[in-house]
Amino acid sequence: MISVIEVYNAVRDLANKDQKGFVSPEMFNSLLPAVQSKIFGKIYDAALQGKALRRSGADLGGEDSLYLKAKNFISEYISSGILQQVNIPSIYDDSGVYKKPENLNRIISVFNDESVNVDLIYNSEKISRILNSNLSAPTDDFPIGLVSSEIEIFPRPGSDVYINYYRNPTSRYETAGARFAAGDIDYRRQPSYSAQTSGSLVIPNPFDCRAFDLPAEFRDEVVKEICMMIGVSLRDNVLMSYGASQQ
Amino acid sequence: MAFKDISTEGMNYVTLRQVMDDFVLTMDVDDHISNINDAMLRNVALRGIREFGFDVTARIKSLKRDIDSNNTVQLPSDYVDLVKVGIVGADGVVYVLNQNKNINYSRKVSGTTTPVDDKEGPMYLEQNEVENRLDDKTSTNGDVDNGDPFESYVFRNYIYENNLGGLYGIGGGHGMGEYRINLDQNRLEIDTSSDITKVVIEYVADEARSSNPLVHVYAEEALRAYIYYKLCERKSTVPANEKMRARSEYYNERRKAKARLSNFTREEALRTIRKNFKQAPKY
């Protein structure tokens, strides 16, 4: 988790120290979903870099491995649930159509309540060939799922179907409240900064603030990314080049 | 009797699912084949099981089938190759029928041509139409020697007290009947005495198309080597030396599996040798 209050203060001090009012909370908030999405993509990039290092023999071993570090970051986003069946007419017989979870980023696995894994196919061109194959045709022991805008499973499952997936990042509670602890995930909101003004003073409201749903290691990246965006907005070359050069 | 899943009754067979799960489990992110999908993996694994089923770990199935009215026996749906066909005696031993490649299984043309969608021709094309056929195993016209044409082939070992055919040792080649494989109609043509109504067929089955494909533990490692070899064989990103290494690893593992499965024991050797000690008539 990255505190949105700390990030706001850092950005304000970098961009706005002598020109109070340029970075308003509203403007700051409008940038946060895009920044979070970009940094989330960088976690996958880190995994790719770790893989390249490992292949070249340059990655550190054991718990110091960069690849494992990136995988550890990604594991924060693993979620699971029961797939909801939908009544959509299918051109194929004997299949069940299921709705993807709303916050789905990438599917890890789909399985039934007997832990039989559903083999996932992303290529709709191949599914009819698979269904007609006398070798690869899906069976109850080897079901196949076609992933498109929905997930269509062959043959039609007789029981609940579960999914493990990477969710999209949302936000985390900045501070503990009556029903949640600091750092708990708020699935409904994106990160946002909230403040109350008292005269000339601007006081953050931590109960209404939502922190970034990103690993703390990426705090510096978040600040720089926001600085670069604000630099573009303010036509401030110094701020823009600071953000761009440091990445 | 219902299908019996032998994979749950012992440790000598491993299911396809176990092999696939183990393969994915041991796959690392920097492997050459780390981005394969499960459907491809299953297809290759099944082809491996099929390949092994032919000459490494053949599972011989035995099926009792009725002889149809036209002296034929339908081959089982999972039939690949015949091991033996025979009848079962009261002693529980299968008395095999001899193969006779001269048993007639001719058919005759029955008028109209086959519609294109009847799957009779090699392809569903109009130019490949063939005439309809039906079985016709009656004898052809002309002179036919109804005597036993194979009489002269009987080896008359010993004549006792002028009784022709009083044999001490009977020559080989006698069976409880004869059969011929008719692959055109996917059946066996049987020639045996009329009171035999059932035969037992022992055959090599296509393990890849069974409901629960299994592989013997001796061949498990060979199957894994086969999967890896086949998966990287056509990948342009895999170096040629790795493909060569995978290929030789597969053939080595296959050789080891074959050696382990062909368990010719000392007792078997002794039994074969002792069979040659025979008593002879004394004068």
Side-chain angles (χ1 to χ4, degrees), chain A residues 110-187:
Chain A
V110 175
F111 55 95
N112 65 19
D113 58 3
E114 291 173 357
S115 296
V116 174
N117 211 45
V118 176
D119 300 342
L120 297 175
I121 300 288
Y122 292 84
N123 190 340
S124 55
E125 180 210 335
K126 284 190 176 171
I127 191 68
S128 56
R129 297 181 195 278
I130 289 173
L131 293 176
N132 288 329
S133 166
N134 62 18
L135 206 60
S136 302
T139 63
D140 288 335
D141 291 330
F142 294 93
I144 283 178
L146 173 65
V147 182
S148 54
S149 55
E150 287 85 27
I151 301 172
E152 189 168 0
I153 298 176
F154 307 84
R156 182 179 290 116
S159 57
D160 284 341
V161 180
Y162 300 86
I163 183 170
N164 280 332
Y165 63 99
Y166 293 117
R167 62 176 174 81
N168 284 317
T170 52
S171 67
R172 290 177 185 257
Y173 291 103
E174 184 81 28
T175 188
R179 287 176 296 167
F180 46 81
D184 280 0
I185 300 167
D186 184 352
Y187 292 101

Side-chain angles (χ1 to χ4, degrees), chain A residues 51 54-55 67 116-121 126 130 133-139 141-144, chain B residues 16-17 20 28-32 34 37-40 42-43 46-47 50 208-209 211-213:
Chain A
K51 180 180 174 179
R54 180 181 276 205
R55 182 163 279 179
Y67 175 75
V116 174
N117 211 45
V118 176
D119 300 342
L120 297 175
I121 300 288
K126 284 190 176 171
I130 289 173
S133 166
N134 62 18
L135 206 60
S136 302
T139 63
D141 291 330
F142 294 93
I144 283 178
Chain B
L16 175 65
R17 173 57 75 186
M20 281 176 60
D28 206 357
V29 65
D30 52 352
D31 279 4
H32 290 295
S34 60
N37 64 48
D38 284 359
M40 191 193 293
R42 180 184 167 218
N43 187 287
L46 281 172
R47 276 159 47 202
R50 173 178 281 172
R209 288 176 66 183
S211 56
N212 184 29

Side-chain angles (χ1 to χ4, degrees), chain B residues 10 58 145 177 191 197 208 243 264 279:
Chain B
D145 181 7
D191 180 13
T197 57
K243 290 178 185 175
F264 185 69
Q279 287 190 332

